[in-house]
Amino acid sequence: MPSINSLLTEIANGWPEARNETFTDHPLANKLRVDLKSTISSITSTQFPTLIIKASAGAGNWANVPWLSLLDPQITTSTQSGIYPVYLFRGDGTGLYLSLGFGSTNLKSKFGQIEAKVQAAQIKDGLNSYIPELKNWNDTIDLRSTTNLGRSYEWATAGAKFYDISSMPSDEQLAADLIEILTIYSKVRLTSKETKKSLSKLLDRTSISKPFLLLAGISGTGKTRFVREQAKDSGSLKETYSLVSVRPDWHEPSDLLGYVSRLKDKAEYVSTDVVEFIARAWRAIIDSDLVMSEQTDEKTGDIKLVVQGDSNALGAISPYWLCLDEMNLAPVEQYFADYLSVIETREWKWTGGDFTYGCDALLSASTINNSDYSVQLRKQLGFEDTKYDNSWQLFKKHGISIPFNLIVAGTVNMDETTHGFSRKVLDRALSFDFGEFFPNEIDDFFEQSKIAKSLSYPIYSQAKLDQLESIQADNVAQKTTAFFKSINGVLKGTAFELAFRAFNELCLSVISFAPENDDQLAAVFDDFLMCKVLPRIEGDEDKLTTAQGEPLLPKLNEVIATELTLIWEGQRLDYFRQLKHSDDKAIKVNCRSKVKLERMQSQLDTGFTSFWP
């Protein structure tokens, strides 16, 4: 039987030349598929008898990066998903890697190219925290590939060893390395329930399209607990969660962000839990591998504060959850005015796997740079350590903006003690009827069979066509555009008409959830109606009429039924929950907008209707 050294050397060295020859039945491809598989099996079969060994030289044509993978069937049986050791040969023939990789195909399909890299970085970070032995392996690889598929293997790896073709190790060392990575791999099949749960959360985390949520529902349904559980999924509840109870006497932004007091001999800044939590979220960014700097806007010439880095570094940043409990006990348009304005200035720019994030200041530079209290404020906000010197100078110059990892979730009850929401608020939020999206199922009270998916912050601000290229269900936004125009055709000329902001958020939702077929795309549309369209609609029969004088709700129901015909009478994928104990975690639910429209119409028969429970 050929030695592992000779086979790896021959395949790596001969690959660039072989790609210029006929693919079918080529002897080098057969060496990879047959001889190398057999040799690898002879090394591993005693200690790891259940491994599935797969090898690929290409599918009908030469692969730019050939590979051989070893799959534990209790973890995965497909190279498109899951985690597995794999030999990856460089495209230029100069060497190869033994890597602990994970399937990039399903990640790209589910999240799109850029978000998939963020997810991959979170998986890598999770694996390294659970399996410390991985820290002895390199976490970056360079396959010198000329194809997108080949390059995707580079970011879908948790650890690797490189073998230079000019100085290959002995058979004994190669075998020892293989057994070592398989021993590490065996620890992925975790025994700790908490660890397994945490790794699963990393694999399933979903980016939302907006970092501001309204959770509306009757009292006692678990809205606040939902936010708390989301923060727990980040790994550190104490660090990434803050609960702030809204007071009914809040009427201006200073109630939320603090104010300057002049009661003493000199001015001082009276801080709040909210602004201190925002500062905590900023420290997580500053303490990471990301870079804070100044950048000149090419269009305006203005200099602004930005955060820059790549998708790997971004994936290590946890979301920070600010829960504003009973948010509408006070008029949101008043005390939340500054945030509502600034949230629309968030800007993400992506170039390949590198990003730049910027946002206008929430706490102005003039407020921070006051000589009377600047030192005191720096200490209050937790930036007194010398490692924050540069960051504090940038804050003094440009102000403190909304950190990209901050998610604000307001819990909402609608009764005689609370305030309603203007369309200014609703346009800037994702509104959830909590009972529809996260229902209280009494049979699950003692042990849950369904759980909420882990949510994360958005990484896009403006939808672009190239971000939709990887969306299988609608890669040129044709169906998304047609759906939006149909819905807005009913609303046109009414107080509920939609505009560019709503269309942008619909596109961002499609990008975030990456539907693979028309049924899944319809589910995205259904949730968009629930979160962005129907919350805007309220009034009596006189107000709820189309521009042509027809009753609005029946007409809207008719158009939506046509647009969502695939799911209208049946069930659809639930993007926000999953089964807790099942290999197939998907949950099916009834069409949400159909149920909601029926209830709204029934309410209108009594004289007045609204979206809110």
Side-chain angles (χ1 to χ4, degrees):
M1 182 179 294
S3 71
I4 185 173
N5 177 298
S6 63
L7 285 170
L8 293 176
T9 301
E10 184 177 356
I11 294 167
N13 197 35
W15 202 259
E17 184 177 342
R19 289 209 310 269
N20 297 320
E21 300 169 3
T22 302
F23 177 72
T24 305
D25 294 327
H26 194 284
L28 194 66
N30 289 333
K31 280 189 181 294
L32 173 68
R33 299 190 191 110
V34 180
D35 296 348
L36 184 58
K37 281 179 66 175
S38 179
T39 297
I40 294 295
S41 179
S42 69
I43 295 171
T44 62
S45 59
T46 301
Q47 291 181 249
F48 304 96
T50 63
L51 289 176
I52 301 170
I53 302 176
K54 296 184 178 183
S56 175
N61 291 293
W62 291 102
N64 187 251
V65 175
W67 52 262
L68 181 144
S69 60
L70 302 97
L71 314 177
D72 181 338
Q74 294 193 42
I75 298 174
T76 184
T77 58
S78 170
T79 57
Q80 295 187 351
S81 62
I83 301 166
Y84 50 85
V86 57
Y87 285 102
L88 296 166
F89 294 81
R90 269 185 172 176
D92 65 357
T94 58
L96 68 146
Y97 290 89
L98 175 57
S99 163
L100 184 63
F102 30 89
S104 61
T105 302
N106 278 15
L107 285 174
K108 288 186 290 184
S109 173
K110 181 177 181 181
F111 299 108
Q113 180 78 11
I114 293 175
E115 171 66 5
K117 292 181 180 181
V118 176
Q119 298 291 327
Q122 292 177 337
I123 296 170
K124 181 190 299 185
D125 188 55
L127 287 171
N128 275 276
S129 67
Y130 307 138
I131 310 173
E133 293 91 338
L134 269 175
K135 294 176 182 177
N136 298 324
W137 292 59
N138 295 325
D139 62 355
T140 57
I141 63 177
D142 177 14
L143 292 171
R144 301 183 181 177
S145 174
T146 58
T147 65
N148 289 332
L149 179 60
R151 285 191 288 268
S152 73
Y153 301 145
E154 295 177 345
W155 49 261
T157 184
K161 282 190 178 179
F162 176 64
Y163 303 127
D164 191 312
I165 204 68
S166 64
S167 56
M168 287 289 288
S170 65
D171 286 334
E172 292 75 17
Q173 184 60 53
L174 289 167
D177 289 346
L178 180 56
I179 296 300
E180 181 183 351
I181 197 68
L182 287 171
T183 303
I184 290 173
Y185 183 41
S186 67
K187 296 183 180 181
V188 174
R189 200 193 318 161
L190 304 163
T191 55
S192 163
K193 289 184 179 180
E194 285 305 310
T195 305
K196 184 176 287 187
K197 177 183 175 183
S198 297
L199 182 56
S200 173
K201 291 296 186 182
L202 287 172
L203 289 163
D204 291 330
R205 193 175 295 281
T206 299
S207 288
I208 51 179
S209 59
K210 200 87 175 188
F212 175 31
L213 314 180
L214 295 177
L215 306 176
I218 61 175
S219 181
T221 51
K223 301 183 292 294
T224 304
R225 185 181 65 180
F226 168 82
V227 182
R228 183 182 177 87
E229 291 300 314
Q230 286 290 326
K232 273 187 182 179
D233 291 342
S234 301
S236 175
L237 182 66
K238 183 178 180 180
E239 172 67 19
T240 62
Y241 174 70
S242 179
L243 174 65
V244 175
S245 298
V246 173
R247 292 169 52 96
D249 60 350
W250 284 7
H251 289 285
E252 57 183 60
S254 62
D255 294 315
L256 197 73
L257 301 175
Y259 58 93
V260 178
S261 171
R262 303 184 185 278
L263 294 178
K264 298 181 180 179
D265 294 337
K266 64 177 184 178
E268 64 176 349
Y269 196 84
V270 180
S271 184
T272 65
D273 289 344
V274 170
V275 77
E276 289 172 15
F277 185 70
I278 291 172
R280 193 191 308 168
W282 265 115
R283 289 199 300 275
I285 295 172
I286 298 166
D287 292 341
S288 72
D289 292 331
L290 301 177
V291 177
M292 278 180 63
S293 63
E294 294 178 318
Q295 187 178 80
T296 302
D297 189 293
E298 295 177 357
K299 294 181 180 179
T300 65
D302 295 336
I303 300 175
K304 59 182 181 180
L305 172 66
V306 297
V307 177
Q308 295 175 304
D310 60 27
S311 54
N312 286 333
L314 183 63
I317 306 295
S318 295
Y320 277 59
W321 289 85
L322 172 62
C323 181
L324 296 179
D325 200 27
E326 303 290 354
M327 187 178 192
N328 59 331
L329 274 180
V332 177
E333 295 83 355
Q334 296 177 18
Y335 75 85
F336 214 48
D338 288 359
Y339 178 90
L340 293 173
S341 296
V342 172
I343 191 175
E344 293 304 309
T345 69
R346 296 171 306 110
E347 185 176 21
W348 288 86
K349 292 182 179 179
W350 285 92
T351 305
D354 298 323
F355 75 91
T356 299
Y357 168 82
C359 180
D360 285 358
L362 192 59
L363 203 62
S364 70
S366 60
T367 298
I368 297 170
N369 205 23
N370 188 306
S371 58
D372 285 344
Y373 55 75
S374 184
V375 173
Q376 167 232 342
L377 180 60
R378 177 176 178 175
K379 185 176 181 180
Q380 279 182 306
L381 299 185
F383 293 112
E384 67 271 25
D385 195 296
T386 55
K387 67 180 179 179
Y388 300 119
D389 284 353
N390 181 62
S391 302
W392 187 250
Q393 290 305 315
L394 290 172
F395 287 144
K396 288 174 69 175
K397 190 172 181 180
H398 300 285
I400 297 178
S401 56
I402 299 175
F404 64 74
N405 55 339
L406 178 71
I407 300 177
V408 178
T411 66
V412 174
N413 290 312
M414 287 294 186
D415 56 36
E416 64 279 0
T417 68
T418 60
H419 297 262
F421 293 106
S422 70
R423 281 187 284 278
K424 176 183 178 181
V425 176
L426 298 177
D427 282 352
R428 289 159 171 80
L430 290 176
S431 301
F432 290 89
D433 180 336
F434 198 80
E436 290 292 338
F437 281 85
F438 308 99
N440 283 189
E441 297 178 348
I442 301 303
D443 290 339
D444 280 1
F445 180 80
F446 294 106
E447 183 170 357
Q448 288 182 305
S449 63
K450 305 178 185 74
I451 57 174
K453 289 185 177 182
S454 296
L455 305 179
S456 190
Y457 47 82
I459 61 169
Y460 303 110
S461 54
Q462 180 67 40
K464 300 182 184 300
L465 276 176
D466 61 354
Q467 296 164 355
L468 286 148
E469 288 176 354
S470 62
I471 307 302
Q472 295 181 31
D474 194 19
N475 61 1
V476 292
Q478 182 178 4
K479 298 171 186 176
T480 302
T481 302
F483 168 77
F484 184 85
K485 291 171 72 174
S486 293
I487 301 304
N488 212 27
V490 179
L491 303 177
K492 195 170 183 64
T494 72
F496 316 115
E497 183 176 351
L498 305 172
F500 276 159
R501 181 186 291 136
F503 181 65
N504 181 59
E505 294 199 20
L506 173 59
C507 292
L508 291 177
S509 294
V510 173
I511 294 167
S512 294
F513 294 111
E516 298 177 9
N517 53 50
D518 286 346
D519 283 27
Q520 292 182 13
L521 182 64
V524 175
F525 293 164
D526 187 29
D527 286 344
F528 171 76
L529 291 168
M530 289 291 289
C531 293
K532 298 300 300 182
V533 179
L534 298 183
R536 298 161 51 90
I537 298 175
E538 66 176 13
D540 57 18
E541 289 184 349
D542 291 337
K543 186 176 182 181
L544 296 185
T545 57
T546 68
Q548 293 74 36
E550 299 177 82
L552 179 69
L553 290 183
K555 184 64 178 177
L556 191 60
N557 190 86
E558 176 188 332
V559 171
I560 294 175
T562 301
E563 291 295 324
L564 303 185
T565 184
L566 291 174
I567 64 171
W568 190 250
E569 296 295 344
Q571 291 194 311
R572 41 142 297 194
L573 178 66
D574 190 336
Y575 278 110
F576 291 93
R577 294 184 303 153
Q578 62 188 15
L579 294 174
K580 187 176 183 180
H581 304 296
S582 174
D583 291 335
D584 181 9
K585 295 183 179 298
I587 294 176
K588 295 285 188 176
V589 295
N590 293 329
C591 181
R592 290 182 172 125
S593 55
K594 180 176 186 287
V595 174
K596 177 59 72 172
L597 279 167
E598 289 172 353
R599 291 178 182 171
M600 291 176 70
Q601 182 62 60
S602 177
Q603 280 184 341
L604 185 60
D605 293 341
T606 66
F608 182 89
T609 193
S610 76
F611 168 86
W612 306 100

